[in-house]
């Protein structure tokens, strides 16, 4: 963990927030009533030069909550087979899946001396809405994520590359994207993490945020 002025670079870069990339595959568009079927998260790290890098991936199949709606059109789009025996064996409840993600996120928040996590997503409002609805359903009191702020890579890639579709934005950033793998939470989250890192690092390379500028700003306060 690289520090300057006694504070890890990650905490300095995003105003004490720890960006965590997330994606969910769902049974529809209604966060309150439609099921979460897959969930994935990628934590990020930062090297000594202030470059952002993907760190660890956490991905789970999720059992639909009781009474959840699942549209067939959503299954056709994602290719998820709810009857697959392997899926049935490894699926977790929403509560268990969130717990498996929140534990390492809390650990990363602490190790980076951040105050809380902030969700990064492609069309982040969608995933953030489903995350908050699941947290409420599960009665989770200690939500490590900011309740309403997020970083949206669709917006950022539109600004940086002129592309808002994930596959096209990745290719514009020089990131390989396999359409046959798309719409799995793990794959989309890992590509979104690479895209977010590419955007943040490109901004730095173009003269945006830098460690030197940040240290000077801290010295002036």
């Amino acid at each position: 963990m690289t520090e300057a002025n006694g504070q890890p670079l990650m905490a300095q870069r995003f105003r004490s927030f720890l960006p965590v990339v997330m994606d969910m595959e769902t049974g529809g568009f209604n966060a309150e009533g439609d099921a979460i079927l897959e969930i994935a998260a990628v934590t990020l790290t930062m090297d000594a030069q202030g470059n952002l890098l993907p760190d660890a991936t956490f991905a789970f199949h999720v059992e639909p909550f009781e009474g959840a709606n699942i549209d067939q059109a959503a299954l056709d789009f994602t290719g998820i087979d709810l009857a697959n025996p392997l899926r049935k064996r490894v699926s977790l409840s929403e509560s268990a899946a969130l717990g498996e993600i929140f534990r390492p996120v809390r650990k990363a928040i602490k190790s980076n001396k951040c105050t809380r996590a902030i969700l990064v997503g492609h069309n982040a409002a969608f995933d953030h809405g489903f995350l908050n609805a699941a947290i409420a359903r599960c009665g989770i009191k200690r939500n490590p994520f900011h309740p309403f702020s997020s970083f949206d890579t669709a917006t950022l890639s539109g600004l940086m590359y002129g592309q808002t579709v994930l596959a096209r934005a990745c290719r514009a950033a020089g990131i390989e994207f396999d359409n046959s793998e798309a719409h799995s939470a793990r794959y989309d989250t890992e590509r979104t993490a690479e895209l977010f890192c590419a955007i943040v690092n490109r901004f730095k390379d173009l003269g945006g945020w830098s460690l030197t500028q940040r240290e000077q700003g801290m010295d002036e306060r």
Side-chain angles (χ1 to χ4, degrees):
M1 180 171 60
T2 302
E3 300 195 9
N5 292 317
Q7 187 181 34
L9 298 187
M10 185 73 84
Q12 295 180 47
R13 178 63 180 86
F14 299 103
R15 203 173 63 84
S16 83
F17 291 145
L18 176 76
V20 177
V21 186
M22 295 194 73
D23 183 75
M24 300 179 206
E25 300 302 331
T26 68
F29 297 102
N30 178 8
E32 302 299 327
D34 293 338
I36 296 174
L37 304 176
E38 293 181 1
I39 185 170
V42 173
T43 54
L44 305 177
T45 189
M46 188 170 279
D47 68 15
Q49 289 72 47
N51 294 306
L52 199 61
L53 306 166
D55 188 16
T57 299
F58 308 90
F60 305 96
H61 297 287
V62 182
E63 297 173 358
F65 65 89
E66 185 175 356
N69 177 68
I70 303 172
D71 290 339
Q72 184 59 47
L75 298 179
D76 293 341
F77 180 73
T78 61
I80 293 173
D81 179 7
L82 296 178
N84 186 300
L86 177 60
R87 174 188 162 83
K88 290 184 175 181
R89 285 198 301 272
V90 301
S91 290
L92 301 179
S93 67
E94 277 189 342
S95 179
L98 291 177
E100 290 295 324
I101 287 173
F102 286 1
R103 275 189 289 276
V105 167
R106 291 190 182 104
K107 183 177 180 181
I109 291 170
K110 184 177 180 179
S111 66
N112 284 282
K113 297 183 181 179
C114 291
T115 56
R116 68 192 317 166
I118 186 167
L119 184 146
V120 180
H122 203 76
N123 298 311
F126 177 88
D127 300 289
H128 211 170
F130 272 89
L131 176 64
N132 285 339
I135 288 170
R137 276 193 299 270
C138 296
I140 295 173
K141 303 301 183 185
R142 292 180 57 240
N143 175 11
F145 284 85
H146 194 289
F148 55 85
S149 292
S150 61
F151 293 145
D152 178 26
T153 53
T155 301
L156 293 172
S157 58
L159 172 67
M160 184 65 75
Y161 303 114
Q163 299 290 346
T164 57
V165 174
L166 179 58
R168 293 181 179 181
C170 284
R171 292 177 184 128
I175 299 165
E176 291 187 8
F177 194 95
D178 185 347
N179 286 325
S180 68
E181 296 289 336
H183 309 307
S184 102
R186 175 187 287 271
Y187 188 82
D188 286 359
T189 305
E190 290 179 337
R191 297 296 80 72
T192 301
E194 290 185 63
L195 178 63
F196 181 67
C197 291
I199 292 169
V200 171
N201 296 339
R202 176 79 184 279
F203 178 73
K204 179 179 70 67
D205 293 343
L206 290 173
W209 182 90
S210 71
L211 176 58
T212 301
Q213 291 170 337
R214 180 59 177 162
E215 286 179 329
Q216 290 173 345
M218 292 179 70
D219 290 341
E220 291 170 358
R221 287 200 294 272

